[in-house]
Amino acid sequence: KNQVEQSPQSLIILEGKNCTLQCNYTVSPFSNLRWYKQDTGRGPVSLTIMTFSENTKSNGRYTATLDADTKQSSLHITASQLSDSASYICVVSAQNAGNMLTFGGGTRLMVKP
Amino acid sequence: GAGVSQSPSNKVTEKGKDVELRCDPISGHTALYWYRQSLGQGLEFLIYFQGNSAPDKSGLPSDRFSAERTGGSVSTLTIQRTQQEDSAVYLCASSLGGTTEAFFGQGTRLTVV
């Protein structure tokens, strides 16, 4: 069964600090992995996509990594801001056409001043 | 429309009543997902539609839950004999296919009193 697990479930950090969120998956055969950000009261929005051949990708202060061998991804947030407070969701898709996306449970990040 | 539209945005219902939640996906998107998010919890998969294939209903929590997707477009999620534990935000997402980015609606906040 395809599964995506994220850790930690929740995290509180001070403004300006860095943090790293983890995502482990068992989805196979792997196609791509996306990190989504979900602000309170909103639907999730895609931050970045990682394909099999990509090890790292940055989007501003967000840097995603992918290790396809160990089936792990991380999302690193640098110099956190209050607006980074949100849920971050890891979503993995398989290569087979029509296969559904598998969502992780998300990490709830709170950035405090 | 330009994005995924869900209605109503908020619904308060009495325990034991039936409710219908509606999702209008992005035009042309063949994949449609229903998720729910209880207070402080991660996304919980409910059901997945992909084109004309039989839907994946493996996430539906009980037989009180059902969903339809008519004409490959609009979807309705029906909850019969609502219970207080059904209170959650119900999110709908659509994508071009199983491996592409999912776009979420704003969700329907269901409160069962």
Side-chain angles (χ1 to χ4, degrees):
Chain A
K1 181 180 177 181
N2 291 336
Q3 287 187 315
V4 176
E5 294 185 356
Q6 294 186 241
S7 62
Q9 279 192 324
S10 61
L11 182 62
I12 301 174
I13 62 173
L14 294 176
E15 186 178 13
K17 298 296 186 182
N18 304 336
C19 67
T20 300
L21 315 180
Q22 300 290 344
C23 173
N24 298 337
Y25 62 92
T26 60
V27 177
S28 181
F30 175 83
S31 176
N32 61 61
L33 181 150
R34 281 187 172 86
W35 284 93
Y36 285 75
K37 179 185 180 187
Q38 184 181 19
D39 292 313
T40 301
R42 310 292 296 271
V45 176
S46 179
L47 280 176
T48 185
I49 177 174
M50 305 290 290
T51 58
F52 186 85
S53 59
E54 295 175 309
N55 298 119
T56 184
K57 183 178 285 186
S58 292
N59 178 4
R61 295 180 296 102
Y62 299 100
T63 299
T65 66
L66 175 67
D67 186 333
D69 292 329
T70 62
K71 298 186 177 180
Q72 295 179 326
S73 176
S74 67
L75 181 68
H76 185 75
I77 304 175
T78 305
S80 61
Q81 300 177 358
L82 298 179
S83 59
D84 293 331
S85 296
S87 288
Y88 292 84
I89 302 163
C90 177
V91 182
V92 183
S93 63
Q95 284 185 358
N96 299 336
N99 271 16
M100 59 176 282
L101 302 174
T102 304
F103 284 68
T107 293
R108 291 182 297 283
L109 174 66
M110 181 178 294
V111 180
K112 290 192 169 182
Chain B
V4 178
S5 177
Q6 291 187 245
S7 60
S9 55
N10 281 285
K11 176 73 176 179
V12 179
T13 189
E14 292 181 351
K15 178 181 173 181
K17 299 287 188 183
D18 298 351
V19 295
E20 272 193 3
L21 312 180
R22 177 186 170 104
C23 172
D24 280 278
I26 294 174
S27 178
H29 280 193
T30 58
L32 187 146
Y33 306 80
W34 281 99
Y35 283 81
R36 74 175 176 182
Q37 195 169 35
S38 302
L39 186 62
Q41 302 298 312
L43 289 174
E44 177 188 2
F45 166 71
L46 296 176
I47 189 169
Y48 165 60
F49 296 91
Q50 172 57 46
N52 296 321
S53 302
D56 180 342
K57 304 179 181 180
S58 60
L60 295 178
S62 77
D63 58 7
R64 295 186 295 106
F65 288 72
S66 63
E68 291 185 340
R69 189 178 186 192
T70 54
S73 180
V74 172
S75 177
T76 55
L77 176 69
T78 301
I79 309 173
Q80 296 178 311
R81 305 181 302 281
T82 52
Q83 304 294 316
Q84 287 185 331
E85 61 262 29
D86 299 334
S87 297
V89 174
Y90 289 80
L91 286 168
C92 173
S94 71
S95 70
L96 278 172
T99 64
T100 59
E101 181 180 355
F103 294 84
F104 283 82
Q106 298 280 57
T108 293
R109 180 174 297 280
L110 176 66
T111 304
V112 182
V113 297

